[in-house]
Amino acid sequence: MAGPEVERRGPGGQPGIVDELTALCARLPAGSALPSTRELQRRHRASALTVQRALAAVAVRGLLVTTPGRGSVVAEPPASRSIDLSWQTAVLGARDDLPHDMTELYSPVPDGVLDLASAYLDPAAQPVGLLAAAAARAARRPGA
């Protein structure tokens, strides 16, 4: 989204619009107002479109929030989340203390039995022929 005119340095080697907005977002507390579009246009001698692209480039990174008619403010830092990945241990890790049910669930199935415990449907249970016939009927009736 951000073109080269947004990322490059400003006149005389000054920081570009994206550089300035990024520095302001790092320095100011969340909710602080950022310079207006007109102020950034004046400072950087840039068009409104260039300033809007710079604001969008910084907003995509989650550093600021823009509201039409109200301007741009520094975004709240993302909340840290603790993610519970313990459910994956049965699949990804070898454990000796699996409950009896889990041991049976992951044991090989006998011949002639469809395995429904995995995420992939057994090819014998897939309605491939019916789906092909339905797709062929749909292709013959393009307006339907």
Side-chain angles (χ1 to χ4, degrees):
M1 178 177 248
E5 71 276 1
V6 174
E7 296 289 344
R8 72 169 189 235
R9 293 279 181 197
Q14 298 171 2
I17 303 169
V18 171
D19 295 335
E20 179 183 351
L21 290 171
T22 303
L24 284 172
C25 290
R27 190 173 67 239
L28 297 173
S32 299
L34 293 169
S36 68
T37 301
R38 288 191 180 145
E39 174 62 22
L40 290 169
Q41 282 179 265
R42 187 190 60 73
R43 277 190 212 171
H44 294 275
R45 290 182 257 153
S47 69
L49 180 61
T50 300
V51 171
Q52 289 301 321
R53 285 182 179 166
L55 287 166
V58 178
V60 164
R61 296 190 336 220
L63 300 177
L64 64 86
V65 177
T66 57
T67 306
R70 293 188 172 212
S72 302
V73 296
V74 177
E76 292 284 334
S80 64
R81 301 181 315 166
S82 62
I83 300 172
D84 179 20
L85 301 176
S86 61
W87 63 271
Q88 294 179 349
T89 55
V91 176
L92 300 176
R95 294 183 51 192
D96 295 334
D97 61 337
L98 284 177
H100 182 66
D101 301 352
M102 295 295 285
T103 306
E104 286 181 15
L105 182 65
Y106 291 109
S107 63
V109 294
D111 290 335
V113 175
L114 293 178
D115 182 14
L116 299 177
S118 74
Y120 302 101
L121 188 58
D122 188 278
Q126 296 176 6
V128 177
L130 294 173
L131 288 172
R137 280 193 309 273
R140 286 192 299 266
R141 295 178 17 184

